[in-house]
Amino acid sequence: MTKILITGAGGQLGSELTETLVNRYGTESVVATDINEESRSLFSEIAFDTLDVTDHRALKVLTEKHQITQIYHLAAILSATGEKKPRLAWQVNMDSLLSILELAKEKKLDKVYWPSSIAVFGPNSPRTHTPQHCIQEPLTVYGISKQAGERWCNYYFQKHGVDVRSLRYPGLVGYKSLPGGGTTDYAVDIYHHAVRKTPFTCFLKKDTVLPMMYMPDAIRATVELMEAPREAVKIRSSYNISSLSFTPEEIFRSILVHYPQFEISYSPDFRQEIADGWPQSIDDSEAIGDWGWKPEYDLERMTQDMLANLPHLY
Ligand code: NAD
Ligand code: AKB
């Protein structure tokens, strides 16, 4: 029987991915964990355990207790928080991944999922249609941890046969959950300001192009990768995936169609430098070719869906 443990389940991605996995595999098959005890309230139908992923022993005990066969390791410190707390970011992002890969080897787990990010790229990478394989040289601690993590994933697959799979997500946008400490967070916050009818101050410049993805596409990509036949998954570091790219000004204009009174101003902070080192668009031809990736949402469709659903949450 498939038994999935999710770390960081209370986060922006985790809360939505957990819901999808419960719908697919059933309430008995999914165990949610997070360091934040308050996340428990999100998961009334399934088992929830408080877990600090840097505690290798606790991770092992939980894996044995629930007879886990797959781990979705989502807990991490994101780019902006990572620049404020670099040692914590390294410890949480790296130590936990190594623990989980080691556990997967020892317990012969069926599969591990671990997300990487466009943050693996840096200012010397091609800025547009950034290829799967190119110079990376990330400038943030978060990016360095994701780059090193990718190499560890590939290593455990090659040396120990651990079936680990990964996607390099762009900035994720959704209405069901709030982002935590990233550079792309503005693209969620802006919608909340629009529906609350309050002006929005953007921490990036108006013409900063970044790759983004609507959450339903990101969740579907994750499930499709994890359910692809083992031999179809040829890249064991992490796959580029792509959907849409826009600037703060473009997302603002897409919202103006629905909220003509909405106002924006720009006050770039330290996150501008992070964004300036990241790609503007991503070449995902390997994901398309290997396991059939295809995005569904463009900016207009995403904005329509966000603005149709978000007001119900207020
Ligand atoms: P998030 O910050 O919203 O959630 C992270 C969760 O991890 C939080 O619930 C937090 O409480 C938990 N956590 C932090 N430290 C922990 C610890 N020591 N032990 C256990 N739990 C801990 O992040 P997210 O956006 O949901 O990101 C999930 C994963 O996806 C991360 O690996 C992130 O790097 C990756 N990713 C996210 C995006 C995005 O735009 N959201 C883009 C690229 C990659
Ligand atoms: C961040 O901004 O840190 C994340 C990411 C793109 O990895 N959203």
Side-chain angles (χ1 to χ4, degrees):
M1 182 188 157
T2 298
K3 196 83 192 263
I4 297 171
L5 183 132
I6 304 170
T7 73
Q12 187 198 9
L13 174 65
S15 49
E16 297 210 33
L17 186 56
T18 304
E19 192 186 323
T20 300
L21 294 174
V22 169
N23 290 338
R24 269 185 113 68
Y25 298 102
T27 48
E28 298 300 310
S29 297
V30 182
V31 179
T33 71
D34 202 287
I35 197 171
N36 181 1
E37 169 62 27
E38 285 173 19
S39 307
R40 184 184 294 278
S41 62
L42 297 171
F43 307 110
S44 53
E45 287 189 340
I46 59 170
F48 176 88
D49 284 287
T50 308
L51 172 70
D52 178 347
V53 287
T54 61
D55 184 344
H56 180 69
R57 217 188 117 58
L59 192 59
K60 193 169 173 185
V61 167
L62 276 185
T63 304
E64 286 166 358
K65 175 179 144 193
H66 294 288
Q67 297 182 311
I68 295 300
T69 62
Q70 298 187 16
I71 297 181
Y72 283 64
H73 177 33
L74 312 180
I77 304 295
L78 276 76
S79 59
T81 307
E83 290 312 282
K84 291 189 171 151
K85 299 177 181 167
R87 288 185 72 96
L88 176 73
W90 185 255
Q91 189 194 3
V92 172
N93 297 0
M94 271 335 326
D95 291 357
S96 63
L97 175 61
L98 276 176
S99 275
I100 284 169
L101 290 171
E102 199 48 39
L103 204 55
K105 175 182 121 189
E106 186 189 321
K107 301 280 177 200
K108 300 192 171 21
L109 298 187
D110 291 343
K111 285 175 205 169
V112 173
Y113 180 72
W114 172 80
S116 184
S117 163
I118 55 160
V120 295
F121 298 111
N124 295 323
S125 312
R127 291 294 305 281
T128 56
H129 302 292
T130 308
Q132 176 71 42
H133 305 287
C134 62
I135 289 178
Q136 294 186 328
E137 300 181 0
L139 294 184
T140 60
V141 173
Y142 174 68
I144 299 168
S145 73
K146 290 296 184 186
Q147 185 192 34
E150 288 189 7
R151 299 326 310 157
W152 277 117
C153 288
N154 190 60
Y155 184 89
Y156 269 78
F157 173 74
Q158 300 294 344
K159 298 276 176 190
H160 304 299
V162 173
D163 189 350
V164 53
R165 305 175 181 204
S166 175
L167 297 171
R168 288 175 181 155
Y169 294 124
L172 303 182
V173 180
Y175 64 88
K176 292 185 184 170
S177 52
L178 288 169
T183 303
T184 58
D185 294 8
Y186 90 85
V188 179
D189 294 344
I190 192 170
Y191 288 110
H192 285 262
H193 281 263
V195 301
R196 291 201 310 255
K197 301 190 167 51
T198 54
F200 179 65
T201 304
C202 185
F203 58 72
L204 296 182
K205 289 188 209 155
K206 58 160 60 177
D207 57 353
T208 309
V209 184
L210 284 173
M212 302 276 186
M213 183 171 283
Y214 196 36
M215 194 60 94
D217 270 342
I219 301 283
R220 190 171 48 79
T222 309
V223 169
E224 285 176 7
L225 174 69
M226 287 302 278
E227 293 185 354
R230 186 180 167 109
E231 60 282 3
V233 184
K234 300 198 176 91
I235 292 177
R236 295 301 183 149
S237 50
S238 189
Y239 275 98
N240 274 8
I241 49 165
S242 169
S243 166
L244 46 109
S245 290
F246 54 78
T247 63
E249 189 68 9
E250 284 166 344
I251 192 172
F252 168 67
R253 298 211 165 275
S254 80
I255 294 171
L256 267 191
V257 174
H258 305 266
Y259 288 85
Q261 310 296 326
F262 188 40
E263 288 171 27
I264 192 167
S265 57
Y266 296 92
S267 179
D269 66 15
F270 72 101
R271 289 168 280 194
Q272 184 65 48
E273 195 181 334
I274 301 177
D276 287 342
W278 286 356
Q280 297 183 334
S281 61
I282 299 289
D283 174 359
D284 58 356
S285 40
E286 314 237 7
I288 294 168
D290 288 358
W291 45 274
W293 164 240
K294 191 166 184 279
E296 284 179 359
Y297 286 85
D298 60 16
L299 178 56
E300 280 63 41
R301 214 179 141 204
M302 177 174 88
T303 293
Q304 260 173 22
D305 204 58
M306 285 292 287
L307 296 179
N309 287 291
L310 204 49
H312 304 307
L313 304 181
Y314 280 97

